[in-house]
Amino acid sequence: MALLHKFKISGGQVTYKSRFLGSDCYQANNEHSRIVVSEFGTVAMPDPCKNFFQRFLSRFEMPSESRPEPSDNDNVSFVTYKGDYYVSTETNFMHRIDPETLEAKEKVDWSKFIAVNGATAHPHNDPDGTTYNMGNSYTAKGATYNIIRVPPTKNSPEDTLEGATVLCSIPSVDKTKPSYYHSFAMSENYVVFIEQPIKMDLLKIVTGKMRGKGISDGVYWDPKRDTFFHLINKQTGKLSSVHYLTKALSTFHQINAFEQDGMLVMDMCASDDGQAINNYMVQNLRQSGEALDEVYNTMSRVFPRRFVLPLNVDHNTPIGKNLNTRPDSTATAIRISKEKVFCSYEELHDEELHKYGGLEFPQINYAKYNTHPYRYFYGCGFRHLVGDTLIKMDLKDKSMKVWEQPGLYPSEPIFVPSPDSTEEDDGVILSVVITPNKDKSTFLLVLDAKSFKELARADVPVNIPYGFHGTFNNTA
Ligand SMILES: [Fe+2]
């Protein structure tokens, strides 16, 4: 169940507050003292108190009734729309949150505003506050991927997603098996949707409950398929007629994307293997000893990669030639037919990162450098199922700085710029560090973003569960 938490740093003091999200899902599970709402990997099984006959019937409901009710357990991230805070997962439900008290003010349903069945927990913001996101729409004609735009300001205090529009609608090649995506990339003028071969079998998903299976049962990796990069112009909503593709990859988090000298540079954390979702099955998390070593050793590793997409491709563009003209870049982009450009990536790291198991949860100095050329990103090294190091990567020479302490597991690093900073890495890194080795010894870690040296830690005498994403807000 989503647990919202907050560190407040003020007047030399750090205070901590947490609160379970008062979602319908939380209420229902609480009332029954067990999980009664199906989640991504969990199917809510029939009530064990029912007699056999009732149980038999409840497994054979009609498909329309057995369709899994989307969860409102928004446990992935804090996001902002029109300056308000929301918590989000990937279903159609978000909750608007009072950032002071962490109370849920209201439940907001994307599908009441536009034709989408949900949206990612990783929207992007333009400097003026306009927000972009993506969601799927399922109609009789098949699944489409819809690019969403939410205006920057509210017309009334009660406003939530009013004025949201679908900027572009991209039909899924396979109507009943669209790709899963966790995020997307955005440069100054383009949204880039990455259609990876992690597929969602919609029929399997809607019949899952009848078969006693969770949503994850309908998600599969198809490495024989390519990955497509779809470029959508943010001004016109037009989809590029050039099809950029690369071999099968899986990606959860984008690092940054920017346009320079007619190229769109797109950096992401990616893997050649799309089985990552399976790593987090509860049976893996419950392993210990050699069985757990086996889980670690067979896990797919995720590394930072750069793709370079040439933007000016027309009938004069030569076929079979590398179009990436960026100096020192080993990424390639080769026009292979009239409308197809095949891309290969450049590694945004050197050998040293292999020692740390790859990098995930990338963060940058977003406010100043998102959609712009940049030099630094931060992330977690992943030798374990959760991050066990904090890493700063310098793109100038691919050198790294690392923070680690045995037995401590840091969360996604959040970059906070110093007031009036002029240098990209002038600021601090915030991370919530947990440990399974000692009771109630969680802390908020503060690193100097430049040197990666520890500046401070604020101990929190409670146990905090491992979390995904966070955000920083300067209210001073
Ligand atoms: Fe995420």
Side-chain angles (χ1 to χ4, degrees):
M1 294 288 93
L3 178 72
L4 318 185
H5 64 153
K6 174 177 87 155
F7 294 88
K8 186 171 186 174
I9 307 168
S10 176
Q13 293 272 314
V14 182
T15 50
Y16 174 81
K17 176 180 284 186
S18 71
R19 187 188 284 272
F20 275 108
L21 175 65
S23 62
D24 292 341
C25 177
Y26 177 79
Q27 312 292 8
N29 289 338
N30 223 10
E31 264 166 40
H32 293 82
S33 296
R34 66 184 188 90
I35 301 292
V36 293
V37 181
S38 293
E39 297 280 352
F40 184 77
T42 312
V43 62
M45 292 305 281
D47 192 323
C49 302
K50 280 185 185 169
N51 66 34
F52 175 77
F53 181 66
Q54 281 174 310
R55 197 153 73 214
F56 180 83
L57 279 183
S58 70
R59 291 292 286 275
F60 288 89
E61 291 158 326
M62 295 304 287
S64 61
E65 292 165 42
S66 62
R67 200 167 295 217
E69 171 70 9
S71 171
D72 67 342
N73 180 32
D74 296 316
N75 62 359
V76 179
S77 192
F78 272 93
V79 292
T80 53
Y81 292 95
K82 302 182 186 181
D84 280 346
Y85 278 89
Y86 292 82
V87 284
S88 174
T89 176
E90 300 185 338
T91 66
N92 52 322
F93 296 121
M94 297 194 296
H95 286 85
R96 177 151 62 169
I97 299 297
D98 178 335
E100 260 316 304
T101 63
L102 296 180
E103 276 169 304
K105 304 314 272 180
E106 69 202 290
K107 179 170 160 176
V108 178
D109 182 349
W110 275 104
S111 65
K112 294 271 188 297
F113 297 89
I114 43 171
V116 287
N117 291 56
T120 80
H122 291 287
H124 277 292
N125 298 310
D126 265 350
D128 73 349
T130 302
T131 309
Y132 293 85
N133 205 338
M134 284 193 61
N136 281 5
S137 171
Y138 306 121
T139 64
K141 284 192 201 147
T144 59
Y145 309 106
N146 289 354
I147 312 294
I148 307 162
R149 177 160 57 200
V150 180
T153 47
K154 298 198 270 190
N155 289 324
S156 76
E158 295 77 38
D159 246 25
T160 56
L161 299 173
E162 282 81 0
T165 50
V166 172
L167 184 64
C168 177
S169 196
I170 306 163
S172 167
V173 177
D174 195 334
K175 288 176 179 159
T176 62
K177 291 169 186 161
S179 288
Y180 170 76
Y181 50 92
H182 183 75
S183 67
F184 58 96
M186 187 179 86
S187 66
E188 191 180 349
N189 295 296
Y190 297 94
V191 161
V192 188
F193 163 46
I194 300 153
E195 194 177 16
Q196 61 189 355
I198 297 177
K199 308 298 272 179
M200 300 190 297
D201 185 328
L202 298 180
L203 186 66
K204 261 190 158 179
I205 289 171
V206 297
T207 58
K209 193 178 168 191
M210 275 198 308
R211 297 180 295 109
K213 299 283 187 185
I215 293 168
S216 59
D217 180 62
V219 179
Y220 65 98
W221 165 240
D222 186 357
K224 292 186 293 301
R225 285 170 183 259
D226 287 328
T227 300
F228 292 89
F229 304 133
H230 302 277
L231 267 61
I232 299 96
N233 184 304
K234 282 158 72 179
Q235 269 70 50
T236 63
K238 225 176 139 241
L239 179 66
S240 170
S241 59
V242 183
H243 301 294
Y244 301 90
L245 64 152
T246 189
K247 61 179 189 164
L249 64 75
S250 72
T251 176
F252 281 82
H253 299 115
Q254 311 308 307
I255 306 170
N256 199 357
F258 59 89
E259 295 151 47
Q260 200 173 36
D261 303 328
M263 304 283 155
L264 192 152
V265 177
M266 181 167 64
D267 298 344
M268 65 180 75
C269 291
S271 170
D272 293 326
D273 182 342
Q275 312 277 18
I277 288 169
N278 297 329
N279 294 341
Y280 295 92
M281 290 295 174
V282 74
Q283 48 274 41
N284 282 347
L285 301 176
R286 283 182 179 146
Q287 298 294 354
S288 61
E290 279 181 20
L292 187 57
D293 287 346
E294 177 67 13
V295 172
Y296 291 156
N297 295 338
T298 54
M299 254 168 56
S300 52
R301 301 288 169 190
V302 177
F303 287 91
R305 295 173 175 179
R306 168 166 293 180
F307 288 94
V308 179
L309 315 183
L311 289 169
N312 307 311
V313 176
D314 59 25
H315 59 278
N316 291 320
T317 307
I319 288 185
K321 193 173 154 234
N322 182 14
L323 305 172
N324 177 15
T325 52
R326 286 178 68 80
D328 308 324
S329 171
T330 56
T332 65
I334 295 170
R335 188 173 175 221
I336 54 169
S337 68
K338 195 166 163 245
E339 287 179 332
K340 278 189 181 167
V341 174
F342 190 87
C343 305
S344 73
Y345 64 84
E346 167 188 352
E347 290 181 340
L348 292 184
H349 62 95
D350 64 17
E351 213 31 53
E352 194 186 358
L353 186 59
H354 287 274
K355 271 200 315 215
Y356 296 96
L359 182 146
E360 249 292 3
F361 290 145
Q363 286 289 328
I364 59 168
N365 181 344
Y366 190 95
K368 276 201 183 151
Y369 289 86
N370 191 50
T371 77
H372 297 295
Y374 71 116
R375 180 168 165 184
Y376 302 106
F377 64 87
Y378 312 87
C380 291
F382 264 77
R383 283 177 299 207
H384 296 95
L385 278 166
V386 296
D388 63 341
T389 52
L390 291 169
I391 294 172
K392 174 187 183 181
M393 187 70 74
D394 183 345
L395 287 172
K396 197 173 173 199
D397 56 4
K398 295 177 184 172
S399 63
M400 292 164 48
K401 286 191 165 65
V402 178
W403 180 92
E404 66 176 319
Q405 258 180 261
L408 298 184
Y409 298 87
S411 74
E412 171 182 73
I414 305 287
F415 177 84
V416 180
S418 299
D420 309 316
S421 62
T422 52
E423 289 174 292
E424 184 181 336
D425 60 346
D426 181 1
V428 297
I429 292 294
L430 302 179
S431 174
V432 181
V433 182
I434 61 172
T435 177
N437 300 329
K438 204 171 151 217
D439 197 36
K440 296 177 181 169
S441 48
T442 311
F443 58 92
L444 176 70
L445 174 71
V446 186
L447 300 180
D448 178 341
K450 234 179 224 304
S451 65
F452 238 46
K453 293 272 180 319
E454 186 171 329
L455 291 176
R457 50 176 86 179
D459 293 306
V460 187
V462 296
N463 289 322
I464 294 178
Y466 190 71
F468 298 118
H469 302 294
T471 187
F472 174 80
N473 176 26
N474 185 358
T475 54

